[in-house]
Amino acid sequence: MGKVGRPRNQTARREALVLAAGRAIAERGLEGLRIKDIADAAGVSQGSVLYYYPELDDLVLEVHREAVESFLSARQKAYDDAPAADPAGRLRALLAGGLPDGTEDEVHGLLYELHRRAGRSPGHAELMTSLYAREVALYTTALEVGSATGVFTLAAGAQELAQGLVAMEDGYGLHIISRNAALDPDKARRMILAHARAVTGCAAL
């Protein structure tokens, strides 16, 4: 029986370390990240962190992977929870979750911080590319369904418009996280919604 329980314990410990590392990165940034910070956040010794993740980069990559999956799951759930018979409502649900709530938004802040590794690490680049592709796919589906049901009159191809919406979210989100006083979350959402109404011809947005 002991052998059956051990993998579960190890999995739980790894998950706890990933969560702790995510908190440490959100608080200190990648440049100042230390094993001690992760150990303190997890309530374990530095040796325990190194036992499960001998290479800090492997732990950071796991944090990035978990952040991407968590963010995408939340966006997919928002879309799925909106009524299927209301394409405009489903698109609004997607648009509502694409921007940081403010400068201290932990999820978006963590993603932006981790994306900085993409230029130096194939693993991080792959995660960033995957996040973009899957967000574009979500928007493409929402736009195609709206077009097929006659609710939207698309100004261009669904995928092209989807790419534009994701790029707008990324750009505005970076300014919000970076404390650009000229762009708060509410203003950014209004501008994206106005763009969405223009390219879908749907006043209900």
Side-chain angles (χ1 to χ4, degrees):
M1 295 295 291
K3 290 183 178 179
V4 173
R6 184 174 174 80
R8 287 200 296 270
N9 290 337
Q10 288 188 331
T11 298
R13 287 174 187 143
R14 286 179 181 274
E15 290 173 352
L17 289 174
V18 169
L19 288 173
R23 290 195 300 271
I25 293 169
E27 291 172 5
R28 292 179 171 271
L30 278 171
E31 301 306 322
L33 183 65
R34 302 174 301 173
I35 295 292
K36 183 180 185 304
D37 300 324
I38 299 168
D40 289 346
V44 300
S45 69
Q46 295 182 55
S48 293
V49 177
L50 292 170
Y51 174 79
Y52 288 101
Y53 291 98
E55 297 294 333
L56 182 58
D57 285 348
D58 291 340
L59 176 53
V60 172
L61 185 63
E62 197 59 37
V63 171
H64 197 173
R65 183 176 292 108
E66 176 60 31
V68 165
E69 292 303 326
S70 177
F71 182 62
L72 285 169
S73 293
R75 301 208 76 178
Q76 183 71 60
K77 185 176 187 305
Y79 177 80
D80 292 340
D81 286 351
D86 181 11
R90 282 195 146 183
L91 183 55
R92 278 198 309 273
L94 278 180
L95 292 165
L99 288 172
D101 290 327
T103 58
E104 303 302 322
D105 187 298
E106 185 172 319
V107 173
H108 283 84
L110 184 59
L111 283 170
Y112 281 116
E113 184 73 16
L114 291 165
H115 286 348
R116 293 172 56 198
R117 286 282 177 98
R120 302 188 299 273
S121 162
H124 288 282
E126 183 179 341
L127 286 170
M128 184 176 177
T129 301
S130 173
L131 174 59
Y132 174 77
R134 291 161 71 182
E135 286 184 287
V136 167
L138 264 177
Y139 272 117
T140 299
T141 297
L143 292 166
E144 286 177 342
V145 171
S147 177
T149 55
V151 176
F152 300 158
T153 301
L154 302 183
Q159 186 177 44
E160 180 181 343
L161 295 178
Q163 290 171 334
L165 287 169
V166 174
M168 287 181 74
E169 287 178 347
D170 288 346
Y172 287 150
L174 181 58
H175 281 280
I176 292 167
I177 292 295
S178 301
R179 302 177 185 274
N180 183 342
L183 189 68
D184 60 58
D186 288 338
K187 182 177 181 179
R189 287 191 179 93
R190 288 196 301 272
M191 290 191 292
I192 290 181
L193 276 169
H195 175 75
R197 284 192 294 270
V199 299
T200 61
C202 180
L205 288 171

